[in-house]
């Protein structure tokens, strides 16, 4: 995707240009079809290209500060209902807190916390693993323990059921190799790293409330931010 984006920015693919077909991109970059489809989807969602049924994909040009209007991964999954995105809930319940999650939640490592993990599917392909981590007491009396997708965003649901108010998110991004289970769920090679986005949710006093963890195959995603120069 980065190569296609650079070609658009440099003018190699001017606005209105028909992009190469999926088969041509697969041959040029020696990658799988799901990788090409995912990259084109991201370009389309970010406004670089558009699809015209029966004709192909055409270049629109560089979006004008498009990223400003896009929610960061952690924020998006806090506010968007699960029913808005295709996927499968793969884990719900109390587990021992991994070290990073324990630090972000302000609890002792390996103490029990609640996790709700979902595999997101786009255009028929798994694209990311999203987990919501909570202290056990915040999960009690909520629909988060259900195996059904929520019709509310996490933020709205927890405010309605528990009265908590999210104030801000501290986001961390790391890269690592996937576990065997993660690679299998995401349908990715074991030698490709994943990007792990951790959004630590806090109230106005800075008290930890929750952590949103988003795991993204590095060969299918690009994280971009844009901001005005003050």
């Amino acid at each position: 995707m980065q190569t296609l984006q650079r070609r658009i920015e440099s003018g190699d693919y001017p606005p209105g240009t028909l992009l190469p077909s999926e088969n041509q991109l697969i041959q040029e970059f020696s990658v799988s079809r799901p990788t090409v489809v995912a990259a084109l989807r991201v370009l389309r969602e970010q406004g670089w290209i558009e699809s015209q049924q029966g004709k192909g994909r055409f270049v629109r040009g560089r979006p004008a500060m498009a990223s400003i209007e896009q929610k960061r991964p952690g924020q998006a999954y806090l506010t968007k209902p699960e029913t808005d995105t295709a996927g499968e809930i793969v884990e719900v319940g109390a587990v021992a807190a991994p070290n990073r999650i324990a630090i972000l939640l302000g609890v002792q490592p390996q103490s029990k916390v609640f996790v709700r993990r979902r595999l997101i599917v786009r255009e028929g392909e798994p694209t990311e693993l999203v987990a919501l981590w909570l202290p056990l007491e915040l999960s009690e009396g909520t629909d988060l323990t259900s195996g059904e997708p929520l019709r509310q965003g996490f933020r709205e649901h927890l405010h309605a059921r528990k009265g908590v108010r999210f104030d801000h998110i501290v986001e961390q991004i790391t890269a690592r190799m996937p576990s065997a289970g993660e690679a299998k769920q995401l349908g990715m090679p074991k030698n490709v790293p994943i990007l792990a986005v951790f959004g630590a949710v806090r109230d106005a006093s800075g008290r930890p409330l929750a952590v949103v963890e988003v795991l993204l195959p590095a060969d299918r995603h690009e994280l971009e931010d844009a901001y005005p120069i003050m």
Side-chain angles (χ1 to χ4, degrees):
M1 189 192 79
Q2 290 177 325
T3 301
L4 293 177
Q5 184 175 311
R6 284 195 294 267
R7 290 177 182 176
I8 295 172
E9 290 183 296
S10 67
D12 290 344
Y13 292 158
T17 300
L18 177 65
L19 281 182
S21 67
E22 289 181 13
N23 288 336
Q24 289 172 320
L25 293 173
I26 289 169
Q27 293 177 3
E28 179 180 355
F29 296 107
S30 299
V31 295
S32 66
R33 185 174 300 277
T35 298
V36 168
V37 169
L40 292 171
R41 173 184 56 77
V42 172
L43 288 173
R44 186 182 69 250
E45 290 178 351
Q46 292 182 350
W48 293 89
I49 64 175
E50 62 181 355
S51 298
Q52 296 185 17
Q53 188 171 5
K55 295 182 179 180
R57 298 175 177 90
F58 292 82
V59 175
R60 295 181 62 187
R62 179 175 179 82
M65 298 294 283
S67 297
I68 288 181
E69 300 177 359
Q70 294 177 351
K71 295 179 179 178
R72 291 176 170 86
Q75 180 186 3
Y77 288 111
L78 281 175
T79 58
K80 191 174 184 179
E82 289 181 333
T83 50
D84 284 2
T85 309
E88 174 189 0
I89 297 170
V90 294
E91 184 179 10
V92 173
V95 297
N99 289 342
R100 181 182 289 269
I101 298 298
I103 292 171
L104 294 176
L105 283 179
V107 301
Q108 291 296 317
Q110 300 304 307
S111 60
K112 291 293 185 180
V113 295
F114 174 84
V115 64
R116 180 181 179 88
R117 194 184 308 274
R118 192 162 179 259
L119 180 66
I120 305 298
V121 177
R122 303 183 194 277
E123 297 184 3
E125 299 291 338
T127 59
E128 57 245 63
L129 274 169
V130 179
L132 177 71
W133 300 86
L134 295 170
L136 285 179
E137 61 270 18
L138 273 187
S139 68
E140 296 170 354
T142 72
D143 292 341
L144 297 174
T145 57
S146 166
E148 297 297 319
L150 290 184
R151 298 184 179 276
Q152 294 174 299
F154 295 144
R155 177 182 181 180
E156 181 183 357
H157 188 71
L158 284 169
H159 176 64
R161 293 296 181 90
K162 307 297 289 190
V164 296
R165 292 184 177 275
F166 294 172
D167 183 78
H168 61 279
I169 300 175
V170 178
E171 194 169 270
Q172 301 173 351
I173 302 174
T174 65
R176 62 173 173 82
M177 302 307 295
S179 68
E182 291 166 345
K184 182 177 180 180
Q185 285 179 313
L186 290 166
M188 58 183 292
K190 295 180 181 178
N191 61 345
V192 172
I194 58 173
L195 299 173
V197 181
F198 296 91
V201 184
R202 300 177 182 176
D203 65 13
S205 70
R207 179 173 64 99
L209 295 174
V211 175
V212 179
E213 177 190 19
V214 185
L215 302 182
L216 306 164
D219 63 341
R220 304 179 202 167
H221 294 271
E222 178 181 281
L223 299 180
E224 180 182 5
D225 200 3
Y227 46 86
I229 298 175
M230 305 301 291

